[in-house]
Amino acid sequence: LFSFMNVEDNILVPLYLKNRTVTEETRKKIAHYLDLMCLGQIQEKKISNLSGGEQQRVAIIRALIDDPEVVLCDEPTASLDSENTHQFMETLVKISRESGAAIIIVTHDARVFAYGEEKVTMVDGELFDDENNVI
């Protein structure tokens, strides 16, 4: 995220980079995602004025704003406490279902495992499926 920009402009970076027009529908989508992420009306706030957890949620919205097929997340709950991790993951699952995006999460946080439809674990460089079979 760019600390000198406000929340909405940070979310719109992928569209700006692709020279896409920002429509009223896009702005409504941003407001919807902010509401889902329990961020309310913070579009005009500077990123530097947000907590680490709030910034993390804004980054996820930015990743989803251009309707990707796949979103890769590296430790998305790292700066969140247990309650916020639960709320965040519930919301991420909801957004994934709404948008149709597959979300791949890399994490050390065992609390996140419960939200996945498919899980792969890495131990000493080997990958294992849910039934502990080597992949």
Side-chain angles (χ1 to χ4, degrees), residues 13 16 21 37 39 41 46 54 56 59 65 78 80-81 87 102 105 108 122 131:
V13 164
Y16 295 155
T21 303
M37 289 286 188
L39 293 172
Q41 302 298 316
K46 293 273 191 222
E54 289 169 331
Q56 190 81 320
I65 199 63
L80 302 178
D81 61 22
Q87 289 176 346
I105 297 175
H108 291 90
M122 181 181 279
E131 296 171 5

Side-chain angles (χ1 to χ4, degrees), residues 4-121:
F4 61 90
M5 296 171 79
N6 67 29
V7 168
E8 184 171 276
D9 285 337
N10 263 284
I11 291 170
L12 291 170
V13 164
L15 300 180
Y16 295 155
L17 292 173
K18 296 175 184 177
N19 291 319
R20 296 216 176 126
T21 303
V22 177
T23 64
E24 187 58 33
E25 182 180 322
T26 303
R27 294 190 193 286
K28 286 180 183 177
K29 187 180 199 180
I30 290 170
H32 174 66
Y33 283 171
L34 288 171
D35 284 343
L36 285 176
M37 289 286 188
C38 301
L39 293 172
Q41 302 298 316
I42 65 164
Q43 289 91 326
E44 298 304 317
K45 278 191 172 183
K46 293 273 191 222
I47 286 293
S48 58
N49 293 333
L50 303 181
S51 70
E54 289 169 331
Q55 289 179 17
Q56 190 81 320
R57 289 179 276 168
V58 169
I60 292 292
I61 294 168
R62 181 170 74 182
L64 292 165
I65 199 63
D66 199 25
D67 299 319
E69 292 181 27
V70 177
V71 176
L72 304 174
C73 299
D74 183 18
E75 300 287 356
T77 59
S79 56
L80 302 178
D81 61 22
S82 294
E83 180 59 29
N84 284 315
T85 292
H86 170 72
Q87 289 176 346
F88 174 82
M89 289 305 301
E90 288 284 325
T91 303
L92 193 57
V93 168
K94 183 175 183 177
I95 290 172
S96 173
R97 289 186 178 137
E98 280 182 11
S99 69
I103 299 179
I104 299 172
I105 297 175
V106 176
T107 187
H108 291 90
D109 188 345
R111 299 171 298 182
V112 173
F113 296 154
Y115 299 91
E117 291 179 12
E118 295 183 36
K119 300 165 192 85
V120 174
T121 305

